[in-house]
Amino acid sequence: MAVVSFSAFGDGAFRRISPSRRHLNNQPHATYEINHLSFGSGCLPIGRAASGSMGLPPSTCVKTDRGWTAVEKIETGSYVETFDDGWQPVQTIIRRKIEAIFSGEAYRTKLVRIGSNIVGNTADLYLPAAQPVLLESDVAEDLFGDPFPIVKAQSLVEADMAEEVLLCGNAELFELHFARSQLVYCSGGAVLLTHSQREQIDDFAAMGVSPDRYHVLDEMTAVAVLRADVRSSNLHAHG
């Protein structure tokens, strides 16, 4: 696993400084900087993100009605373009610290790095392992009748399409919540799953409607589909 640190450049991308659809810590940390926003032991997020958390790290760009916007600059009420429902307002934003791990005599944050153009992203995309990503797959269409499977970022690692990296110090995730689960455009074209507001889940249940209308493939199935697609060159960035 590579140990990397990042510095901002250009229009919000990360730069490596040092290597080392439907059917279906209270410990002190070093500080790193992304786009001139410093995160370390002094930040006070709402809560701590568990290893299975979803969300986007700072400087990840999301497609809003104001253009591509870094996730930390999005506000409640901002309109975000979604894959199925067009422009939708953000209902809630939750900011969480990622659980850091102790490695090499320092605390580090583990994320998955998806290289550019793997899932429609125009720049390297950094995600927590549990974050679901939408793909376009001929194999999935043949197997399930749906060309748009949703898989966790970790499944891309297991299929050798992404890698785990360690960031020096502590980091955060920003979760965008909508009235219902949505697929949103990030990093120039990647499509990522977001869940509905937690407080509205009971209301959906009372109406007999599931708030989680998208199914995420289990890891074994996802890895099998991804590897089959790679072998047959049938995996595409969604279009």
Side-chain angles (χ1 to χ4, degrees):
M1 183 185 301
V3 177
V4 301
S5 59
F6 295 98
S7 176
F9 77 106
D11 58 353
F14 291 99
R15 176 160 57 99
R16 177 171 292 193
I17 302 301
S18 58
S20 176
R21 189 140 116 105
R22 292 184 177 82
H23 73 282
L24 302 175
N25 11 53
N26 294 322
Q27 298 292 335
H29 302 294
T31 299
Y32 69 98
E33 183 174 289
I34 298 177
N35 267 24
H36 311 296
L37 296 174
S38 294
F39 300 94
S41 57
C43 67
L44 296 173
I46 293 176
R48 299 175 68 82
S51 59
S53 293
M54 297 163 49
L56 304 175
S59 292
T60 304
C61 288
V62 177
K63 192 172 184 180
T64 74
D65 57 352
R66 296 176 294 152
W68 291 101
T69 305
V71 66
E72 70 273 13
K73 296 182 179 180
I74 295 176
E75 301 175 345
T76 300
S78 296
Y79 276 80
V80 171
E81 186 173 12
T82 68
F83 190 68
D84 287 312
D85 295 330
W87 299 98
Q88 293 294 316
V90 176
Q91 302 287 326
T92 305
I93 301 172
I94 299 177
R95 176 183 177 185
R96 299 185 186 278
K97 185 187 299 182
I98 304 175
E99 287 284 2
I101 61 175
F102 192 76
S103 175
E105 299 183 353
Y107 281 93
R108 305 183 191 278
T109 300
K110 182 168 70 173
L111 291 174
V112 171
R113 184 186 75 84
I114 304 173
S116 60
N117 300 312
I118 297 295
V119 294
N121 49 315
T122 57
D124 286 1
L125 182 60
Y126 294 84
L127 299 173
Q131 173 61 52
V133 181
L134 179 136
L135 303 171
E136 185 173 358
S137 163
D138 292 344
V139 171
E141 184 172 25
D142 292 341
L143 291 174
F144 312 122
D146 189 334
F148 298 109
I150 300 173
V151 306
K152 293 182 179 180
Q154 184 62 36
S155 296
L156 295 170
V157 174
E158 300 301 324
D160 299 321
M161 297 175 62
E163 65 173 340
E164 292 180 329
V165 295
L166 293 176
L167 275 64
C168 298
N170 187 40
E172 293 182 305
L173 295 177
F174 290 80
E175 300 177 40
L176 305 180
H177 292 268
F178 300 85
R180 64 192 306 205
S181 298
Q182 296 290 352
L183 293 161
V184 301
Y185 291 91
C186 300
S187 189
V191 177
L192 309 180
L193 176 65
T194 67
H195 286 313
S196 60
Q197 287 179 274
R198 292 182 179 180
E199 58 267 32
Q200 293 192 354
I201 289 178
D202 290 339
D203 294 334
F204 278 108
M207 294 186 292
V209 179
S210 171
D212 295 322
R213 55 181 177 154
Y214 299 108
H215 176 72
V216 181
L217 294 182
D218 65 86
E219 186 169 300
M220 182 178 296
T221 303
V223 172
V225 168
L226 291 169
R227 288 176 174 169
D229 265 312
V230 169
R231 286 196 299 268
S232 58
S233 300
N234 288 326
L235 186 69
H236 320 288
H238 60 84

